[in-house]
Amino acid sequence: MSIDYASELNPEQYEAVTTIDGPLLIIAGAGSGKTRVITFRMAYMLDKGIPQHAILALTFTNKAAKEMAERVRAVTGRKLQNLTVSTFHSFGVKILRKEIEALGWRENFSIYDEADRYQLIKDCARELGFRMESFDPVKTGALFSDIRTERRPWSKSDDAYRQLYDEYRRSLKIYNAVDFDDLIVMPIELFELLPEVRAKYREQYRYIMIDEFQDTSLIQYRMMRLLADRNVCVVGDDDQSIYSWRGANYENLMQFERDFPDVKEIKLERNYRSTSTILEAANAIIRNNTSRKEKALWSPAGLGGTPIELHTPDDEMAEGEFIARSIKEIKLRERVPYDEFGILIRTNALTRWLEEALLAENVPYRISGGSSFFGRKEIKDVISYLRVVANPDDDVNLIRIVNTPRRGIGKTTLERLGAIARSRRCSLRTAMELVRSGESLGAEGGAEGGLAFGGLSEHTVADIAAFLDLVERYREEMLGKKRIAEKVRKLMDEVDYWGYLIEENRQNDKVAKWKFHNVELFIQMIERWEKDPDNLSPGLFEWLNRISLITRDDDQDEDEGKVNLMTIHAAKGLEFEVVFIAGCEDGIIPHAKSLEEGEGNLEEERRLFYVAVTRARRRLVVSCAKRRRKQNQVTDQVPSPFLAEIPTHLVEAVEDDAEFTEEEGEAYFERLKAMFSPPSEEAGAAQGSAGAGEVGIAD
C-alpha cells in the first residue's frame, strides 16, 4: 500500500515522521495528532526497508498498544507479526521469558498480582514475628515498591522492614515468582550484569519509539537508556505530566536532551480538537508553570467558539442539578449524544452528588477512573438488604448479605442450603425456611441417616431462623409504608453494621468512619427522595427501580449513549464535544493534600487543570460551588486560583434557569414525530444511497 505522507500530514508532522535516523524529541501538544504521527512514522520506517523485528514501540497501557498496532496494520495493509508494540511491563515479560534463568529463576515463572503480593508480604511478616494486628501490608508493599524501583533509599525509619524486605525477595525466588516492579527492574539487572544480553537486544531493536514519554519513571528511562543506541524517538508533552504520584518524571524530557546532545526537537502545536477560545484559555493557564518547554497550541481551522461558561451554584446539590439539567437541554437543543459529554472531577469524593442528580434526571452515565458511589461495597451491602426485603427469593443479593455482618452462616452452610435448593428446585430462602421448620430433609440436605436440618447444627439453624425473622419483620415494616429511610437506618443499627465495619477495618478506623458516613449519605438520599413533593409514590419498590439502572452489573466493553463521569486523570487522552469541570474550587483543584505533600505539586495540579480544559472540543462549562459539605460540616468555598489565570474576555457567567422557547419546543416535538414515523419509500431509498457513499477511515 503506497502512502502519500506529504498530503496526509501537516509540515511538522511530516518532518517528525520522516526523521528516522538519530535521536528525536517530539513535543506533541494536546490534540496535535500524536498517535497519527507515531503510526505513520512506523509505516515510513517499514517503507524504507527497516525490518519489523528491528522496531520497538513502547507505551503505557495495553489498550494504547493494541490501538497503535491496529492502526499501523490498517495504514500499511500488512499483518506485521514481527513488529513489537508493547507496554513497558509486557516488554519486560518478553525479555524475562527468555533470559530469567540467568538470574536464578526457572523459565516458567509466575507473575504475582497485588493480592498475591500482599498475601506473601503478610506471610513473611508473620514468620518473622511481626504484630499482625497493627501490620499494614499495603503500606509495606508501597515501601518495598519505592525501594525496588529506586524512588527512595532506605532510611532509619524503615529499618524495621529491611529484614522483611529481604525475606519477601527470598520467598519470591523460592516460589519462582516475580512481582510487577520486577518486570522492569529484572531486565535492567540482566542488561547490567550480562553485557552480552544487553548487546543482543540493542542489536535487535535498532529503532525505538516511546509514547507518553513525560509519564516514564526514572527506572523506565534507565531501561530505555540501556537499550537505545542512536535511533531513538520519544514523544511527549511536559504540560500533560500528571502522574508523579506513581513515579512519572517529566524531567526525563530534559535528561533525554542531556544524554543525546545531538537530539533534534520538533514541536506539534497545531490542535485539531478544540476551538481557539479553549486553546487560548489553556495556553494562558499553563504559561504560569515555570518548568516547561515553551509552546502554544493553535487551531488551524480558526474556530473562535463560544466563551467558557462559569457557573457558581449555591452548593454541591445545586451543582449536580445544574449539570444534569444542562446536559439534557444541550442534548435536546443541539442533538449532542450522551456519550459526547464528559463530567470531569478532581477526586472521587465528588461523584456522589453528581450521580444523584443524573439519576434524578434519568441521564444515563458511566464511571471511569474511580468507583461509583452506588458501587462501593458498603452501599451495595445496604442495597442488597433492601432487595432481599423486597424480594426474599433474590438469591444473588441474599448470598451477599446472609453473612454480612457475620452471623454463623458461612460457606459450608451455604453449600448445604444450595444442595437443598437444587434438589427441591426452590430458592435459597425457601431452603432456609425448610431448615427452620425442622423438616426431615434426608440425604438431599447433606445429612447422614436422614437427620433433620440438612445436617446443620442446631446453632446454625437458630442463626438461619434469626436471619429469616429479620427479613420478614422488615418486609412487613417497609412494604407499602412511608419513612423507608428511617427503617433502613433502624435495620443498619439492628445488624450492627457499624460494628462490622470496625471489625473489617481494625487497622484504620478512619476507613470505617468514612464507609459508615457513606451509608448515612445513602440513607439521607432516600430521605430527600421521600420528601420530594413531586414524588407521588415513595415506596421501596419505586426506590429500587429508580437505582436499578446504575447498580446492575454491566459487562459491556462499550457504554454508548452514556455520559462520561470521570476523574481528570482518567480523562487524559480522551476528548468530548462538551466538558463540565465540576468542583473547581481552591482546596479541590489545586488539591490541598497534594500541595501539602510537596512544593512542586502546584505546577502538577495546574497541568492537571490544563488537561481537563483541553479535553473539550467545542464547549467548556466550569462550576465552583459557594458552599460544600465536608465531614458533616458546611464550609464556604473559594474559586480555584487557576480560574483567575484565564483571560476574562474568554469567560462568561451562566445561570441554570434556561427555559425552552415556544419555537424550540415545537422544533423538538417535530423531531420526535419524525423519529417515530415510518420513513417513506423514497426517503428510505435516499437514506440507503447516502449511507452507502459515506465510507472512510476516521483518524
Side-chain angles (χ1 to χ4, degrees):
M1 181 184 294
S2 177
I3 303 171
D4 184 354
Y5 293 95
S7 64
E8 291 281 351
L9 305 163
N10 69 39
E12 297 82 22
Q13 291 175 334
Y14 180 79
E15 185 182 11
V17 164
T18 56
T19 303
I20 58 175
D21 294 318
L24 177 64
L25 171 59
I26 302 174
I27 302 297
S32 62
K34 169 178 68 77
T35 305
R36 185 176 182 81
V37 166
I38 294 171
T39 300
F40 275 85
R41 193 170 188 276
M42 281 191 275
Y44 185 81
M45 284 192 281
L46 294 168
D47 280 351
K48 291 299 178 182
I50 296 171
Q52 299 174 35
H53 64 78
I55 300 172
L56 171 63
L58 296 174
T59 187
F60 280 83
T61 67
N62 290 316
K63 181 179 178 182
K66 182 180 178 183
E67 179 189 351
M68 198 180 294
E70 287 174 349
R71 291 182 70 161
V72 176
R73 292 188 189 103
V75 167
T76 61
R78 298 163 64 178
K79 291 184 178 180
L80 304 178
Q81 294 173 326
N82 295 319
L83 181 69
T84 304
V85 181
S86 168
T87 64
F88 274 91
H89 291 88
S90 295
F91 180 64
V93 172
K94 184 176 182 178
I95 293 172
L96 293 179
R97 290 292 178 206
K98 294 179 181 178
E99 315 290 348
I100 199 168
E101 290 181 354
L103 295 175
W105 270 253
R106 297 183 300 281
E107 183 181 359
N108 296 317
F109 59 90
S110 300
I111 301 173
Y112 275 13
D113 61 18
E114 289 298 278
D116 295 332
R117 184 167 176 261
Y118 294 148
Q119 186 59 53
L120 181 57
I121 290 172
K122 283 169 66 176
D123 292 343
C124 292
R126 193 175 287 110
E127 289 174 14
L128 293 175
F130 276 69
R131 290 180 55 205
M132 299 311 296
E133 61 272 13
S134 59
F135 181 75
D136 188 338
V138 176
K139 286 184 178 179
T140 306
L143 168 65
F144 288 1
S145 183
D146 286 348
I147 297 295
R148 183 72 171 141
T149 59
E150 300 178 10
R151 289 182 65 187
R152 63 182 277 192
W154 285 107
S155 64
K156 287 186 178 180
S157 61
D158 303 325
D159 279 348
Y161 296 94
R162 282 178 180 264
Q163 186 182 2
L164 177 57
Y165 177 80
D166 292 338
E167 181 62 24
Y168 168 68
R169 298 299 315 163
R170 189 177 73 87
S171 298
L172 280 174
K173 193 167 187 177
I174 290 171
Y175 296 139
N176 197 41
V178 300
D179 62 20
F180 207 56
D181 296 323
D182 290 331
L183 301 181
I184 305 294
V185 176
M186 291 177 76
I188 290 174
E189 291 174 345
L190 277 164
F191 295 154
E192 291 180 337
L193 290 170
L194 303 168
E196 66 276 14
V197 172
R198 177 190 178 197
K200 179 174 69 173
Y201 284 98
R202 290 191 80 172
E203 175 62 28
Q204 176 178 347
Y205 296 113
R206 290 179 286 113
Y207 293 85
I208 297 176
M209 277 192 293
I210 301 178
D211 186 21
E212 302 288 5
F213 191 67
Q214 76 281 347
D215 293 335
T216 52
S217 64
L218 291 173
I219 204 79
Q220 287 165 331
Y221 183 92
R222 194 157 136 208
M223 175 191 263
M224 178 278 294
R225 191 68 189 90
L226 287 164
L227 272 177
D229 185 10
R230 283 196 73 258
N231 300 325
V232 55
C233 167
V234 298
V235 186
D237 180 7
D238 51 342
D239 289 340
Q240 296 187 73
S241 180
I242 58 175
Y243 294 111
S244 66
W245 47 274
R246 69 181 190 194
N249 187 348
Y250 72 93
E251 292 184 356
N252 282 347
L253 288 164
M254 279 68 88
Q255 184 60 45
F256 182 79
E257 292 178 304
R258 288 192 288 269
D259 287 343
F260 296 91
D262 58 337
V263 62
K264 182 176 184 178
E265 180 181 301
I266 299 172
K267 291 181 181 177
L268 306 180
E269 297 171 292
R270 301 190 197 202
N271 178 285
Y272 294 93
R273 175 188 301 159
S274 307
T275 65
S276 57
T277 297
I278 292 169
L279 296 180
E280 188 179 345
N283 289 332
I285 292 163
I286 203 64
R287 199 175 292 127
N288 290 279
N289 273 7
T290 56
S291 302
R292 64 183 291 265
K293 283 186 167 292
E294 190 63 37
K295 72 185 77 65
L297 300 177
W298 58 279
S299 171
L303 300 174
T306 58
I308 295 168
E309 300 166 32
L310 176 63
H311 182 66
T312 52
D314 288 335
D315 55 26
E316 63 270 37
M317 289 177 63
E319 178 181 53
E321 291 165 0
F322 162 72
I323 291 174
R325 283 199 302 270
S326 296
I327 288 172
K328 288 186 74 172
E329 289 171 5
I330 294 170
K331 181 180 187 297
L332 293 176
R333 280 182 168 148
E334 303 174 27
R335 304 191 193 187
V336 178
Y338 277 134
D339 57 5
E340 281 292 349
F341 289 92
I343 306 174
L344 309 187
I345 51 176
R346 176 62 181 86
T347 69
N348 288 323
L350 300 179
T351 61
R352 180 256 168 139
W353 300 102
L354 294 165
E355 286 191 78
E356 185 175 354
L358 294 168
L359 182 61
E361 292 290 341
N362 294 316
V363 174
Y365 69 93
R366 69 184 184 110
I367 298 274
S368 299
S371 59
S372 163
F373 178 77
F374 297 99
R376 293 169 183 168
K377 181 186 182 300
E378 61 273 18
I379 304 303
K380 290 175 76 173
D381 286 346
V382 181
I383 291 172
S384 289
Y385 267 102
L386 298 183
R387 291 197 187 284
V388 171
V389 166
N391 174 19
D393 292 314
D394 183 339
D395 282 357
V396 172
N397 284 290
L398 187 145
I399 289 171
R400 181 180 183 89
I401 53 97
V402 70
N403 206 38
T404 304
R406 292 177 179 80
R407 50 172 63 89
I409 308 175
K411 290 181 181 178
T412 302
T413 302
L414 284 174
E415 286 173 2
R416 290 181 175 173
L417 289 170
I420 297 170
R422 286 190 296 274
S423 65
R424 295 295 182 96
R425 295 184 178 180
C426 63
S427 67
L428 277 177
R429 186 275 302 251
T430 301
M432 295 172 82
E433 288 180 344
L434 291 172
V435 169
R436 178 176 62 175
S437 68
E439 179 176 327
S440 180
L441 299 170
E444 68 189 14
E448 295 179 7
L451 294 175
F453 315 132
L456 300 171
S457 70
E458 291 188 13
H459 187 271
T460 300
V461 173
D463 289 333
I464 290 171
F467 175 75
L468 288 174
D469 291 344
L470 176 83
V471 171
E472 289 161 1
R473 186 155 33 85
Y474 277 92
R475 181 173 170 80
E476 185 179 340
E477 285 193 31
M478 286 189 189
L479 293 191
K481 298 184 180 181
K482 297 179 180 179
R483 303 204 310 276
I484 297 170
E486 180 183 311
K487 306 291 173 47
V488 175
R489 193 175 280 114
K490 179 182 172 186
L491 172 59
M492 291 298 101
D493 286 343
E494 184 166 340
V495 301
D496 190 19
Y497 196 77
W498 165 245
Y500 165 73
L501 291 176
I502 288 291
E503 179 65 23
E504 289 294 298
N505 300 278
R506 281 182 294 178
Q507 295 167 1
N508 192 344
D509 62 346
K510 288 183 180 179
V511 173
K513 290 176 182 176
W514 180 76
K515 287 177 178 288
F516 198 69
H517 176 63
N518 286 337
V519 171
E520 179 57 32
L521 290 177
F522 179 72
I523 295 171
Q524 290 173 8
M525 191 184 297
I526 302 175
E527 223 160 25
R528 282 194 302 278
W529 175 76
E530 288 184 292
K531 293 176 181 177
D532 186 345
D534 294 329
N535 184 5
L536 303 178
S537 182
L540 178 60
F541 285 110
E542 288 76 12
W543 171 256
L544 291 173
N545 288 339
R546 184 172 183 262
I547 62 173
S548 62
L549 289 177
I550 58 171
T551 56
R552 74 174 190 271
D553 291 330
D554 192 349
D555 297 327
Q556 297 179 353
D557 291 333
E558 299 296 330
D559 284 290
E560 294 183 1
K562 293 185 180 180
V563 170
N564 301 274
L565 173 56
M566 57 178 57
T567 62
I568 302 172
H569 283 99
K572 187 170 177 292
L574 303 178
E575 58 186 73
F576 305 100
E577 189 74 359
V578 182
V579 166
F580 291 84
I581 305 177
C584 195
E585 300 141 33
D586 195 17
I588 296 178
I589 183 164
H591 199 275
K593 185 178 179 182
S594 178
L595 298 185
E596 288 171 6
E597 291 173 352
E599 293 180 7
N601 286 352
L602 176 63
E603 295 213 346
E604 176 149 338
E605 289 290 310
R606 185 179 282 111
R607 292 195 292 269
L608 196 59
F609 188 57
Y610 170 83
V611 166
V613 169
T614 54
R615 297 313 94 194
R617 286 201 292 267
R618 185 174 59 85
R619 189 167 178 177
L620 177 63
V621 185
V622 178
S623 62
C624 45
K626 296 172 184 173
R627 290 172 294 280
R628 194 173 290 275
R629 289 175 180 81
K630 294 179 181 178
Q631 300 296 324
N632 285 329
Q633 291 184 335
V634 177
T635 61
D636 292 332
Q637 296 294 100
V638 176
S640 168
F642 297 151
L643 291 176
E645 297 173 354
I646 303 175
T648 54
H649 71 276
L650 301 177
V651 181
E652 179 179 83
V654 296
E655 300 297 333
D656 64 342
D657 56 357
E659 298 286 345
F660 276 124
T661 64
E662 185 176 343
E663 292 79 9
E664 286 174 328
E666 288 178 1
Y668 169 62
F669 285 113
E670 284 299 321
R671 291 202 298 272
L672 281 181
K673 283 166 61 180
M675 286 169 59
F676 290 102
S677 298
S680 64
E681 291 185 9
E682 293 84 355
Q687 186 176 8
S689 173
E694 294 174 354
V695 178
I697 299 175
D699 178 39

